[in-house]
PDB file of all heavy atoms in Angstrom:
ATOM      1  N   ALA A 196     166.669 217.211 261.466  1.00  0.00           N
ATOM      2  CA  ALA A 196     167.125 215.999 260.810  1.00  0.00           C
ATOM      3  C   ALA A 196     165.966 215.226 260.265  1.00  0.00           C
ATOM      4  O   ALA A 196     166.027 214.694 259.145  1.00  0.00           O
ATOM      5  CB  ALA A 196     167.898 215.136 261.830  1.00  0.00           C
ATOM      6  N   LEU A 197     164.898 215.201 261.055  1.00  0.00           N
ATOM      7  CA  LEU A 197     163.695 214.500 260.619  1.00  0.00           C
ATOM      8  C   LEU A 197     163.136 215.065 259.299  1.00  0.00           C
ATOM      9  O   LEU A 197     162.812 214.327 258.429  1.00  0.00           O
ATOM     10  CB  LEU A 197     162.627 214.645 261.751  1.00  0.00           C
ATOM     11  CG  LEU A 197     161.305 213.963 261.485  1.00  0.00           C
ATOM     12  CD1 LEU A 197     161.449 212.473 261.517  1.00  0.00           C
ATOM     13  CD2 LEU A 197     160.303 214.402 262.552  1.00  0.00           C
ATOM     14  N   GLU A 198     163.084 216.415 259.252  1.00  0.00           N
ATOM     15  CA  GLU A 198     162.565 217.008 258.065  1.00  0.00           C
ATOM     16  C   GLU A 198     163.358 216.632 256.782  1.00  0.00           C
ATOM     17  O   GLU A 198     162.819 216.422 255.722  1.00  0.00           O
ATOM     18  CB  GLU A 198     162.395 218.526 258.247  1.00  0.00           C
ATOM     19  CG  GLU A 198     161.274 218.858 259.166  1.00  0.00           C
ATOM     20  CD  GLU A 198     161.045 220.380 259.284  1.00  0.00           C
ATOM     21  OE1 GLU A 198     162.035 221.087 259.441  1.00  0.00           O
ATOM     22  OE2 GLU A 198     159.891 220.807 259.300  1.00  0.00           O
ATOM     23  N   LYS A 199     164.694 216.573 256.979  1.00  0.00           N
ATOM     24  CA  LYS A 199     165.574 216.165 255.882  1.00  0.00           C
ATOM     25  C   LYS A 199     165.239 214.719 255.410  1.00  0.00           C
ATOM     26  O   LYS A 199     165.138 214.436 254.243  1.00  0.00           O
ATOM     27  CB  LYS A 199     167.032 216.234 256.323  1.00  0.00           C
ATOM     28  CG  LYS A 199     167.698 217.552 256.289  1.00  0.00           C
ATOM     29  CD  LYS A 199     168.837 217.543 255.266  1.00  0.00           C
ATOM     30  CE  LYS A 199     169.034 218.929 254.663  1.00  0.00           C
ATOM     31  NZ  LYS A 199     169.087 219.963 255.652  1.00  0.00           N
ATOM     32  N   ASP A 200     165.121 213.896 256.404  1.00  0.00           N
ATOM     33  CA  ASP A 200     164.839 212.468 256.098  1.00  0.00           C
ATOM     34  C   ASP A 200     163.542 212.363 255.324  1.00  0.00           C
ATOM     35  O   ASP A 200     163.436 211.627 254.295  1.00  0.00           O
ATOM     36  CB  ASP A 200     164.730 211.617 257.402  1.00  0.00           C
ATOM     37  CG  ASP A 200     166.055 211.364 258.037  1.00  0.00           C
ATOM     38  OD1 ASP A 200     167.102 211.528 257.343  1.00  0.00           O
ATOM     39  OD2 ASP A 200     166.096 211.059 259.235  1.00  0.00           O
ATOM     40  N   ILE A 201     162.529 213.031 255.765  1.00  0.00           N
ATOM     41  CA  ILE A 201     161.181 212.925 255.110  1.00  0.00           C
ATOM     42  C   ILE A 201     161.307 213.414 253.691  1.00  0.00           C
ATOM     43  O   ILE A 201     160.726 212.797 252.837  1.00  0.00           O
ATOM     44  CB  ILE A 201     160.139 213.754 255.917  1.00  0.00           C
ATOM     45  CG1 ILE A 201     160.022 213.284 257.374  1.00  0.00           C
ATOM     46  CG2 ILE A 201     158.798 213.702 255.213  1.00  0.00           C
ATOM     47  CD1 ILE A 201     159.311 211.981 257.552  1.00  0.00           C
ATOM     48  N   GLU A 202     162.065 214.440 253.504  1.00  0.00           N
ATOM     49  CA  GLU A 202     162.234 214.955 252.119  1.00  0.00           C
ATOM     50  C   GLU A 202     162.827 213.879 251.236  1.00  0.00           C
ATOM     51  O   GLU A 202     162.436 213.726 250.073  1.00  0.00           O
ATOM     52  CB  GLU A 202     163.188 216.178 252.136  1.00  0.00           C
ATOM     53  CG  GLU A 202     162.541 217.441 251.811  1.00  0.00           C
ATOM     54  CD  GLU A 202     163.404 218.635 252.032  1.00  0.00           C
ATOM     55  OE1 GLU A 202     164.495 218.658 251.342  1.00  0.00           O
ATOM     56  OE2 GLU A 202     163.042 219.494 252.876  1.00  0.00           O
ATOM     57  N   ASN A 203     163.800 213.139 251.768  1.00  0.00           N
ATOM     58  CA  ASN A 203     164.456 212.084 251.018  1.00  0.00           C
ATOM     59  C   ASN A 203     163.488 210.916 250.732  1.00  0.00           C
ATOM     60  O   ASN A 203     163.646 210.235 249.695  1.00  0.00           O
ATOM     61  CB  ASN A 203     165.690 211.547 251.710  1.00  0.00           C
ATOM     62  CG  ASN A 203     166.804 212.560 251.761  1.00  0.00           C
ATOM     63  OD1 ASN A 203     166.886 213.421 250.848  1.00  0.00           O
ATOM     64  ND2 ASN A 203     167.622 212.489 252.756  1.00  0.00           N
ATOM     65  N   TRP A 204     162.623 210.669 251.600  1.00  0.00           N
ATOM     66  CA  TRP A 204     161.785 209.473 251.542  1.00  0.00           C
ATOM     67  C   TRP A 204     160.480 209.686 250.716  1.00  0.00           C
ATOM     68  O   TRP A 204     159.739 208.763 250.431  1.00  0.00           O
ATOM     69  CB  TRP A 204     161.433 208.894 252.868  1.00  0.00           C
ATOM     70  CG  TRP A 204     162.608 208.378 253.637  1.00  0.00           C
ATOM     71  CD1 TRP A 204     163.664 207.744 253.118  1.00  0.00           C
ATOM     72  CD2 TRP A 204     162.784 208.424 255.078  1.00  0.00           C
ATOM     73  NE1 TRP A 204     164.557 207.357 254.159  1.00  0.00           N
ATOM     74  CE2 TRP A 204     164.014 207.765 255.343  1.00  0.00           C
ATOM     75  CE3 TRP A 204     162.042 208.890 256.167  1.00  0.00           C
ATOM     76  CZ2 TRP A 204     164.503 207.620 256.627  1.00  0.00           C
ATOM     77  CZ3 TRP A 204     162.531 208.758 257.452  1.00  0.00           C
ATOM     78  CH2 TRP A 204     163.748 208.163 257.667  1.00  0.00           C
ATOM     79  N   THR A 205     160.161 210.950 250.484  1.00  0.00           N
ATOM     80  CA  THR A 205     158.885 211.230 249.844  1.00  0.00           C
ATOM     81  C   THR A 205     159.102 212.062 248.623  1.00  0.00           C
ATOM     82  O   THR A 205     160.117 212.606 248.382  1.00  0.00           O
ATOM     83  CB  THR A 205     157.972 212.008 250.863  1.00  0.00           C
ATOM     84  OG1 THR A 205     158.603 213.256 251.161  1.00  0.00           O
ATOM     85  CG2 THR A 205     157.707 211.220 252.099  1.00  0.00           C
ATOM     86  N   SER A 206     157.998 212.119 247.817  1.00  0.00           N
ATOM     87  CA  SER A 206     158.123 212.853 246.579  1.00  0.00           C
ATOM     88  C   SER A 206     157.123 213.987 246.462  1.00  0.00           C
ATOM     89  O   SER A 206     156.982 214.607 245.416  1.00  0.00           O
ATOM     90  CB  SER A 206     157.990 211.863 245.393  1.00  0.00           C
ATOM     91  OG  SER A 206     156.843 211.061 245.591  1.00  0.00           O
ATOM     92  N   THR A 207     156.403 214.256 247.498  1.00  0.00           N
ATOM     93  CA  THR A 207     155.432 215.398 247.481  1.00  0.00           C
ATOM     94  C   THR A 207     155.688 216.305 248.669  1.00  0.00           C
ATOM     95  O   THR A 207     156.497 216.006 249.541  1.00  0.00           O
ATOM     96  CB  THR A 207     153.978 214.884 247.541  1.00  0.00           C
ATOM     97  OG1 THR A 207     153.835 214.170 248.726  1.00  0.00           O
ATOM     98  CG2 THR A 207     153.589 214.099 246.336  1.00  0.00           C
TER      99      THR A 207
END
Side-chain angles (χ1 to χ4, degrees):
L197 179 70
E198 286 185 317
K199 276 244 152 48
D200 287 342
I201 301 285
E202 248 172 61
N203 290 333
W204 293 327
T205 59
S206 48
T207 57

